[in-house]
């Protein structure tokens, strides 16, 4: 270190607002940009559910993974960051307004005890459109993180909006994610769409827990034959290209729509997620 630089750092007041020097005190790490969550809460692991495009069933994957994790005995929450298309409350049959206390905004509770926070819980009419610009939407997501009293949560699932825009960037930059799951479908377009989401995560140094392919096939109820409605899956090739794992390949199941539409996702039963959940809990294990 030069004598001049040594003298600068020795006399440093650590008030960077009045100083233009490029000293070590100004060198911030990624951790420095993460926003703190509600001070009266304790969140152990945060998992983002992302997709490169809309309509792939990301909210279903979020809600059902949360449901399975809750059944394992963990305290679970869902932060619905898809502000302009919030569907999580509907899946759980939650329609009441969110309340508040001196500790912050109180999330709604599902029948099994999953905490849910969504913009629909703040609107006078849940069918009212959210016509807000990107920075306002991103600000609401940060408010859900900072001002909602989550209490003691083992796993908080963040249902992200599709794409790599303002909200995704806000979440990646301000919330310390322990990993993300990328949801996709079998179309040829998928390799490019997945690449965008994966490359953004790598750019932001967010661990990728794996891929989930939805609408992978439909199974004949009579003979059990699997039909690839949207073409043959290329998910294994895409995963190998990016060095990540395929967590699950989900079939088209008409029952999913009926359970989600009736707000009874917690009553839906399937085995397609069993292996995926085990891998997720292993990769994002709670150690404390």
């Amino acid at each position: 270190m030069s004598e001049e630089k040594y003298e600068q750092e020795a006399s440093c007041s650590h008030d960077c607002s009045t100083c233009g020097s490029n000293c070590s005190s100004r060198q911030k790490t990624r951790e420095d940009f993460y926003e703190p969550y509600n001070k009266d809460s304790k969140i152990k692991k945060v998992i983002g559910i992302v997709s490169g495009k809309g309509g792939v069933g990301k909210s279903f994957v979020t809600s059902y993974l949360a449901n399975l994790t809750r059944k394992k005995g963990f305290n679970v929450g869902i932060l619905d960051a898809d502000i302009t298309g919030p569907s999580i409350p509907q899946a759980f049959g939650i329609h009441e307004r969110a309340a508040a206390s001196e500790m912050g905004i109180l999330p709604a509770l599902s029948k099994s005890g999953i905490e849910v926070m969504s913009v629909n819980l703040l609107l006078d009419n849940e069918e009212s459109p959210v016509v807000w610009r990107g920075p306002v939407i991103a600000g609401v997501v940060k408010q859900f993180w900072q001002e909602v009293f989550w209490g003691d949560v083992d796993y908080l699932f963040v249902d992200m909006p599709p794409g790599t825009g303002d909200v995704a960037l806000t979440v990646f930059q301000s919330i310390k994610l322990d990993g993300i799951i990328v949801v996709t479908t079998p179309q040829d377009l998928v390799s490019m769409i997945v690449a965008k989401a994966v490359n953004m995560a790598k750019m932001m140094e967010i661990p990728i827990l794996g891929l989930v392919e939805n609408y992978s096939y439909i199974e004949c109820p009579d003979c059990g034959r699997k039909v690839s409605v949207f073409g043959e899956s290329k998910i294994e090739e895409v995963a190998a290209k990016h060095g990540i794992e395929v967590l699950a390949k989900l079939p088209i199941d008409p029952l999913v729509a009926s359970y989600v539409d009736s707000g009874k996702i917690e009553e839906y039963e399937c085995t397609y997620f069993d292996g995926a959940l085990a891998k997720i809990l292993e990769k994002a294990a709670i150690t404390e």
Side-chain angles (χ1 to χ4, degrees):
M1 182 185 293
S2 67
E3 182 177 351
E4 180 182 2
K5 193 170 185 68
Y6 175 82
E7 289 178 355
Q8 283 180 346
E9 299 208 3
S11 61
C12 179
S13 66
H14 301 288
D15 180 8
C16 298
S17 64
T18 60
C19 176
S21 299
N22 187 27
C23 63
S24 59
S25 297
R26 300 181 71 92
Q27 296 173 3
K28 293 182 178 294
T29 65
R30 182 166 298 279
E31 298 279 340
D32 295 321
F33 292 96
Y34 292 138
E35 299 284 353
Y37 54 74
N38 177 278
K39 63 182 180 62
D40 294 309
S41 301
K42 183 178 182 182
I43 302 173
K44 295 175 184 174
K45 295 290 181 178
V46 184
I47 298 175
I49 313 297
V50 310
S51 64
K53 63 185 290 293
V56 300
K58 171 181 50 58
S59 294
F60 163 64
V61 172
T62 302
S63 56
Y64 200 67
L65 280 177
N67 179 40
L68 290 181
T69 308
R70 178 61 181 159
K71 287 182 177 180
K72 291 285 186 181
F74 294 104
N75 294 329
V76 178
I78 300 178
L79 191 163
D80 189 357
D82 195 353
I83 303 298
T84 58
S87 54
I88 295 295
Q90 173 62 43
F92 288 93
I94 298 172
H95 301 286
E96 67 268 19
R97 296 282 301 279
S101 73
E102 65 276 4
M103 292 180 290
I105 304 169
L106 300 177
L109 282 179
S110 74
K111 295 181 181 69
S112 67
I114 297 172
E115 295 184 297
V116 174
M117 189 64 231
S118 171
V119 74
N120 259 18
L121 306 182
L122 302 176
L123 301 176
D124 290 329
N125 181 351
E126 62 182 19
E127 295 184 354
S128 297
V130 177
V131 189
W132 298 338
R133 295 190 183 276
V136 176
I137 294 173
V140 171
V141 173
K142 289 175 70 172
Q143 184 180 17
F144 286 172
W145 175 247
Q146 295 176 307
E147 298 182 27
V148 170
F149 173 59
W150 293 102
D152 191 352
V153 171
D154 295 314
Y155 287 95
L156 180 69
F157 291 89
V158 181
D159 185 25
M160 303 272 283
T164 55
D166 284 348
V167 177
L169 186 61
T170 295
V171 172
F172 282 3
Q173 285 183 327
S174 58
I175 297 177
K176 188 178 186 306
L177 294 170
D178 295 283
I180 65 166
I181 296 165
V182 182
V183 183
T184 184
T185 54
Q187 293 106 317
D188 285 339
L189 182 66
V190 103
S191 57
M192 181 187 70
I193 298 300
V194 169
K196 288 181 182 293
V198 167
N199 289 334
M200 180 180 186
K202 289 182 176 179
M203 185 187 306
M204 305 297 293
E205 300 177 12
I206 308 296
I208 303 170
L209 301 181
L211 301 177
V212 170
E213 183 179 75
N214 199 16
Y215 311 135
S216 186
Y217 59 90
I218 189 167
E219 186 172 341
C220 175
D222 297 321
C223 67
R225 178 171 173 249
K226 295 180 179 179
V227 180
S228 301
V229 178
F230 295 108
E232 291 302 319
S233 172
K234 296 179 176 59
I235 195 69
E236 302 289 352
E237 300 170 22
V238 173
K241 176 182 176 181
H242 296 285
I244 52 184
E245 189 172 3
V246 177
L247 299 175
K249 298 173 77 171
L250 310 179
I252 299 171
D253 186 351
L255 285 177
V256 171
S258 62
Y259 276 92
V260 169
D261 289 345
S262 60
K264 298 178 179 179
I265 192 62
E266 290 161 297
E267 298 177 20
Y268 177 69
E269 298 284 348
C270 75
T271 59
Y272 314 121
F273 281 97
D274 291 352
L277 181 65
K279 292 172 185 175
I280 292 165
L281 297 182
E282 176 187 347
K283 293 182 178 183
I286 294 174
T287 56
E288 52 181 312

